[in-house]
Amino acid sequence: MSFLRSAVVCVAAVAFTSFLLPAQVKNEPTVVKMDSQVFDRYVGAYVIGRQYMTVFRKDDHYYTQMTGQEPFEMFPQSDHEFFMKAVDVQLTFIPEANGKTYKVSLRQNGNVQWAPSPQLSERETKLVVEQQKAGPQRFKEQKQDPRTEALVRQFVDDARHGKPQYDRMLPSLAEMLRQDLGDLQDDLEPLGAFKSMVFKGVSQGGSDIYHVKFENGAMEFRLGIASDGTIVLLAWGERGKALARIPGTFLKKHSQSELAFFARDGAEGTL
């Protein structure tokens, strides 16, 4: 089994720890005055490196948040460019052809950039924000959502047959799963028949964690569900279980290979 295939294929928001390196800012940009009405055009949810990121403001302060982490304040250096002071990260908002919605790109330490992500729909944004708000309390309480066990069991069966219930997921989540379904099927095939599953706890992002046993092995699955029953977080794989042991927000400087892995599979433990 390849390294990527054994990795968590994290098709949802996870944590800034996957991306943000310790600050190496020598010449901090100048903060400029920002028209809040202009900033409001950027408010919403985006997918960055297969992680859900929200952008919002509180009065004249501007924030971004990855699911499973606290919000981080960002500061305007122009009417469409922002930087953070804790780490060397810049966000750039780019208008789409329709002139009504925006994409965002993230640059880290000046030379690491992810492809611009389109603004998600109003409905998707609402559900992502709901999950971000509910996640910390669910993590604190460590109580199983009674809906998730049956969904994980069904998802395993559906994935084996190549027919996940995409209509039960966020559209952006469903699209990412379509891209990774073949790899998941390759991972599941040698494991053999389903045997049992055990609830292990709740992640920082608010997803329920299950250890699923098969005839020839085991795999960890994580699933988060919104109040209306929509699946908003989904991940699987033993690599994510190992990375979940990494604590904190800003830790070490990741290698370029690690960053490429994070960008490809969003692997981190806070989903």
Side-chain angles (χ1 to χ4, degrees), residues 70-88:
E70 295 295 320
F72 290 90
E73 187 169 5
M74 56 184 183
F75 302 86
Q77 61 187 91
S78 74
D79 64 357
H80 66 286
E81 297 173 301
F82 298 80
F83 69 97
M84 297 181 190
K85 294 184 177 181
V87 288
D88 186 6

Side-chain angles (χ1 to χ4, degrees), residues 117-128:
S117 163
Q119 233 166 348
L120 300 183
S121 68
E122 184 177 346
R123 174 179 177 271
E124 284 191 272
T125 296
K126 178 181 178 181
L127 294 178
V128 170

Side-chain angles (χ1 to χ4, degrees), residues 18-242:
S18 300
F19 296 121
L20 303 186
L21 309 183
Q24 299 177 0
V25 180
K26 295 182 179 180
N27 298 310
E28 188 175 278
T30 300
V31 178
V32 302
K33 181 68 175 178
M34 181 77 186
D35 185 336
S36 295
Q37 292 185 342
V38 172
F39 180 84
D40 287 345
R41 301 172 187 170
Y42 313 139
V43 169
Y46 302 81
V47 178
I48 295 289
R50 299 195 173 202
Q51 301 189 27
Y52 284 122
M53 180 187 78
T54 56
V55 173
F56 59 97
R57 72 177 174 92
K58 296 180 180 179
D59 298 324
D60 292 331
H61 294 269
Y62 311 110
Y63 298 89
T64 185
Q65 181 178 11
M66 291 283 188
T67 298
Q69 288 289 336
E70 295 295 320
F72 290 90
E73 187 169 5
M74 56 184 183
F75 302 86
Q77 61 187 91
S78 74
D79 64 357
H80 66 286
E81 297 173 301
F82 298 80
F83 69 97
M84 297 181 190
K85 294 184 177 181
V87 288
D88 186 6
V89 169
Q90 297 83 39
L91 296 176
T92 301
F93 293 88
I94 306 162
E96 295 194 275
N98 60 21
K100 297 180 180 180
T101 57
Y102 290 81
K103 296 181 178 180
V104 62
S105 64
L106 182 150
R107 181 178 293 273
Q108 179 176 293
N109 286 337
N111 55 15
V112 180
Q113 187 170 10
W114 286 265
S117 163
Q119 233 166 348
L120 300 183
S121 68
E122 184 177 346
R123 174 179 177 271
E124 284 191 272
T125 296
K126 178 181 178 181
L127 294 178
V128 170
V129 171
E130 176 190 300
Q131 183 70 23
Q132 287 186 344
K133 290 181 177 179
Q137 186 62 30
R138 294 210 65 240
F139 177 67
K140 179 180 179 180
E141 294 176 350
Q142 288 296 306
K143 292 181 180 180
Q144 179 185 22
D145 186 322
R147 302 171 296 174
T148 58
E149 183 169 355
L151 286 172
V152 170
R153 179 70 180 91
Q154 185 67 51
F155 174 70
V156 172
D157 287 342
D158 292 344
R160 281 185 182 278
H161 294 91
K163 297 181 179 180
Q165 298 181 43
Y166 294 118
D167 59 342
R168 298 205 62 175
M169 306 173 190
L170 289 178
S172 53
L173 179 60
E175 180 57 33
M176 288 184 278
L177 177 57
R178 287 187 179 95
Q179 298 174 24
D180 293 315
L181 181 58
D183 286 349
L184 175 57
Q185 288 179 299
D186 289 346
D187 288 347
L188 288 172
E189 184 176 3
L191 294 177
F194 172 89
K195 288 294 185 181
S196 63
M197 59 189 294
V198 178
F199 171 70
K200 302 296 290 185
V202 179
S203 73
Q204 286 178 280
S207 58
D208 284 1
I209 305 169
Y210 290 93
H211 183 72
V212 182
K213 291 185 178 181
F214 300 89
E215 188 175 24
N216 302 316
M219 186 181 290
E220 182 180 280
F221 288 81
R222 300 179 179 213
L223 187 146
I225 186 170
S227 58
D228 68 354
T230 302
I231 298 173
V232 295
L233 299 176
L234 184 62
W236 57 86
E238 288 301 315
R239 178 63 178 175
K241 183 177 179 181

